[in-house]
Structures are given as structure tokens and as C-alpha cells.
Amino acid sequence: MSTTHHTTRRFAETPVQKAALVFGIVFFIVGLGGFIPGLTQDVESLQFAGHESHAMLMGVFQVSILHNIVHLLYGVVGVLAARTFGGAKQFLIWGGAVYALLWLYGLLVPDEHAANFVPLNTADDWLHFVLAAAMIALGVLLGRRAAHATHDRR
């Protein structure tokens, strides 16, 4: 007699996967929001890149077409990474590291300088700091707990 075990795997089962999924969905929504009049003030001034773009997401965060595309791509990567424990953990840690670099870049490059191609303003800079800290912390802390829980069950 043969017994078949059916294990149903849910999408984003672990806390680290859930965190990556939430970040991915939020990034995707923010990327879309950067193109929507009303959510983005002065959307008609949206430039592909550069500090000349005067479009402001929620009236606070300076955005460009490139900036919005990056958020959309980050969102897609986050949702796809949430499929596996390792992918989610890496997305949060390395994605957070990229945001830490963007935070430093924003602090070092003046808002009106030609090198500010993303573009970034002070609100973007500090949001990037918060995102970097949150993503790295969640990736490390939730990744560690899930790894220990998996190891303890063996």
C-alpha cells in the first residue's frame, strides 16, 4: 500500500517572506503612484531623470520616470523573492544595502546638482535611510529566526 503525502505550500509562508512580499507590493504601488495625477503633484513636469523633474509624489517625494521605474522593478523583485526563504532574506538585506547607498548618495550630492540624476530630495534621503534600516533589520532578524526554527524541527 502506497501512501502519498500532499504538502501544500503557501506563498510567502515565513515571516521573512511575508516582509519581502509587503515591501514588494508597497514599492510597486509607489512606482505606479508616481505616474498618477493627484497622487503626484506636477506630474506634467515629470522628466525621465534628473533634478529638473518637479513632480512630487504625495507632494513630498521628488520623482522622475526613472525613479518610478526603479520602484516598479523593486516591487516585482520583492514579490518574486518572497517565493523562497533565501530569496526574501537576500532581497531585504541587499535591497536595504542599496537604499543605504542611495541615502549616502543623497546626502553627498546637492539636490540641484547635475549628478542628482534619480532625482532625490531631503524627504527621499531620509525615507531611504528608514527603508535601509528596516529592510536590513527584518532580513537579518526574521531570517535568523526562521533558520533556527527550521533547524530545530529536524
Side-chain angles (χ1 to χ4, degrees):
M1 180 162 95
S2 171
T3 57
T4 306
H5 294 283
H6 294 284
T7 56
T8 305
R9 300 191 87 203
R10 297 180 322 186
F11 189 79
E13 286 186 77
T14 67
V16 74
Q17 289 172 277
K18 286 177 173 69
L21 180 62
V22 168
F23 273 95
I25 290 169
V26 170
F27 282 129
F28 193 81
I29 290 169
V30 167
L32 286 177
F35 293 111
I36 299 174
L39 280 177
T40 300
Q41 294 176 354
D42 299 321
V43 75
E44 64 280 352
S45 75
L46 200 61
Q47 302 279 322
F48 179 75
H51 66 276
E52 295 88 14
S53 182
H54 297 290
M56 302 288 280
L57 180 62
M58 298 185 293
V60 178
F61 305 102
Q62 189 175 11
V63 294
S64 66
I65 294 170
L66 176 63
H67 205 154
N68 293 335
I69 290 170
V70 168
H71 284 132
L72 288 167
L73 292 174
Y74 241 68
V76 169
V77 170
V79 170
L80 292 175
R83 295 185 305 172
T84 66
F85 171 81
K89 182 177 177 179
Q90 295 302 313
F91 168 75
L92 291 170
I93 293 171
W94 290 107
V98 169
Y99 271 104
L101 291 174
L102 276 173
W103 171 64
L104 291 173
Y105 179 80
L107 292 180
L108 297 173
V109 176
D111 291 350
E112 299 300 319
H113 195 276
N116 186 12
F117 68 95
V118 176
L120 303 172
N121 64 12
T122 302
D124 288 306
D125 296 338
W126 292 105
L127 178 60
H128 292 158
F129 171 77
V130 170
L131 288 170
M135 290 176 76
I136 293 169
L138 287 170
V140 170
L141 296 174
L142 296 177
R144 184 177 301 147
R145 286 187 197 136
H148 288 309
T150 303
H151 185 270
D152 291 343
R153 280 187 265 172
R154 288 185 194 174

